[in-house]
Amino acid sequence: MEQNKKTHLSFEVFPPKKDEEFDNVYQILRQLKELNPDFISCTYGAGGSRAGKTIEITSFIQNELKIDAIAHITCVGFTREDLHKNCEALQEAGVSHVLALRGDRPKTMSDEQYDSREFYYASDLVRHLKEYTGLRISGACYPEKHFEAPSLKEDLLHLKEKVDAGVTSLISQMFFDNNYFYRFLDKARAMGIHVPVHAGIMPITTAKQLGTTVSLSGSSVPKELADLIATYGEDKEDMRKAGIDYAVRQIRDLKEHGVDGIHIYSMNKVKTTTEICGMI
Ligand code: FAD
């Protein structure tokens, strides 16, 4: 891999559940700006709930903070008309970059509703956005394969279709063992996927967080991380320090390998994110 090139830095934030927490998010974003990220992305609730909040937050990032904003959008739970309205609203708000996702099925959604979505895979959404909007489009990728894919090879074939449909950069699912990322990247490049890939890093600062994260992402937990939880899990501050140290070591190694970008799943935790950035 190429060394000594600039590694991009980016963060992911999520819209707070309660309206009264909005001011706090803006405060967090102002502090994240101090860390000079190349972009900040904002998630979309499962099934597209609170879509308007993603627009508000990305508009703030783009227009107030003058940082490239990426708005996540999903197919699940949306009609073609909803999507058009959402994309128009984004563009009117000055946001021109989206992360086009299929989305996951919310627990409350019926089979019928889930299966009747207009865009079945993210690549179908990408094709549509490419044809009908001027938006810049990024996509998601999975170093350890997506949980539904029968193999990494098959997942990569579909990833290639997604990139060929118009995705210009990829953000990876979180991973805790860099070897998975390097293996994935080698295979992706060999398959002709040459867009920048931003490596997703989730700092694990509590034992509970690891359980939730793993069940949601399907990422495997290396022995070193499991041992760290076993050793420090009971002590809040020691666990936080150990989790930050683990993420920092992961990032340093990725940078030494010349990866395109580091995407920190900040979970709106500005103190942790700032400490990590101070050490890399
Ligand atoms: P796709 O690219 O459509 O892939 C889904 C599965 O379908 C894969 O197994 C793939 O191999 C397979 N596939 C694709 N094309 C075909 C085909 N033609 N034939 C057969 N199989 C095919 N979810 C949210 O709800 N909101 C968010 O804000 C959000 N942000 C995310 C950010 C990142 C960086 C990542 C990595 C994930 C995020 N997710 C989010 C979760 C995401 O929605 C889920 O992981 C979802 O299950 C897959 O989305 P996708 O866009 O990767 O799907």
Side-chain angles (χ1 to χ4, degrees):
M1 261 181 265
E2 215 183 306
Q3 297 210 352
N4 302 324
K5 68 173 187 186
K6 175 178 159 57
T7 307
H8 288 94
L9 174 69
S10 59
F11 306 126
E12 180 176 297
V13 296
F14 61 85
K17 289 214 167 71
K18 295 180 188 149
D19 287 344
E20 57 271 24
E21 287 167 7
F22 255 77
D23 283 350
N24 193 25
V25 160
Y26 292 143
Q27 199 45 41
I28 287 168
L29 286 165
R30 282 193 192 95
Q31 288 173 270
L32 290 178
K33 178 187 161 87
E34 299 301 311
L35 306 173
N36 287 323
D38 293 283
F39 67 86
I40 300 179
S41 79
C42 179
T43 63
Y44 210 33
S49 58
R50 296 172 69 77
K53 301 299 172 194
T54 304
I55 301 176
E56 272 179 60
I57 291 178
T58 46
S59 171
F60 177 81
I61 296 167
Q62 187 70 50
N63 301 308
E64 299 289 324
L65 302 183
K66 313 276 183 224
I67 296 170
D68 281 346
I70 303 186
H72 298 201
I73 56 170
T74 62
C75 315
V76 171
F78 270 95
T79 63
R80 183 178 296 240
E81 206 183 11
D82 294 332
L83 270 162
H84 281 190
K85 276 193 196 143
N86 190 29
C87 290
E88 270 169 29
L90 277 170
Q91 287 180 299
E92 275 165 21
V95 179
S96 58
H97 193 164
V98 293
L99 181 69
L101 300 148
R102 183 198 66 185
D104 282 321
R105 176 182 172 159
K107 285 189 191 107
T108 49
M109 191 176 271
S110 68
D111 287 353
E112 198 188 352
Q113 219 186 342
Y114 180 66
D115 292 333
S116 66
R117 63 187 182 275
E118 274 184 88
F119 303 104
Y120 212 78
Y121 297 112
S123 51
D124 300 320
L125 175 61
V126 173
R127 259 176 234 111
H128 187 78
L129 294 175
K130 190 88 187 137
E131 191 170 349
Y132 292 100
T133 74
L135 290 164
R136 227 174 110 200
I137 311 163
S138 290
C141 64
Y142 302 81
E144 297 180 61
K145 89 171 182 66
H146 183 258
F147 71 97
E148 291 167 19
S151 65
L152 180 60
K153 191 175 173 199
E154 196 154 323
D155 203 23
L156 278 162
L157 284 170
H158 296 309
L159 183 64
K160 173 85 168 76
E161 286 163 12
K162 188 156 71 176
V163 170
D164 289 346
V167 159
T168 54
S169 71
L170 294 165
I171 303 180
S172 93
Q173 179 62 286
M174 66 198 70
F175 56 88
F176 303 106
D177 178 344
N178 290 357
N179 290 319
Y180 283 111
F181 187 76
Y182 301 140
R183 183 189 64 165
F184 162 83
L185 211 52
D186 283 348
K187 287 181 189 287
R189 299 302 187 219
M191 242 179 203
I193 298 173
H194 295 298
V195 297
V197 183
H198 301 268
I201 296 294
M202 168 75 92
I204 299 294
T205 52
T206 66
K208 187 171 163 234
Q209 188 197 350
L210 184 67
T212 325
T213 302
V214 168
S215 71
L216 285 175
S217 68
S219 313
S220 46
V221 180
K223 185 174 180 306
E224 193 191 341
L225 184 57
D227 286 351
L228 198 143
I229 305 278
T231 313
Y232 301 108
E234 298 293 310
D235 186 308
K236 228 172 148 188
E237 195 45 34
D238 282 354
M239 182 60 229
R240 211 180 77 81
K241 279 190 197 141
I244 288 175
D245 177 64
Y246 191 90
V248 167
R249 282 186 286 122
Q250 250 195 299
I251 295 170
R252 283 187 184 147
D253 183 69
L254 288 161
K255 287 181 79 172
E256 275 163 23
H257 278 76
V259 300
D260 298 310
I262 304 291
H263 184 71
I264 301 182
Y265 288 94
S266 83
M267 303 300 289
N268 296 5
K269 288 182 190 161
V270 77
K271 187 166 173 250
T272 300
T273 311
T274 305
E275 280 179 43
I276 290 173
C277 291
M279 286 189 250
I280 54 169

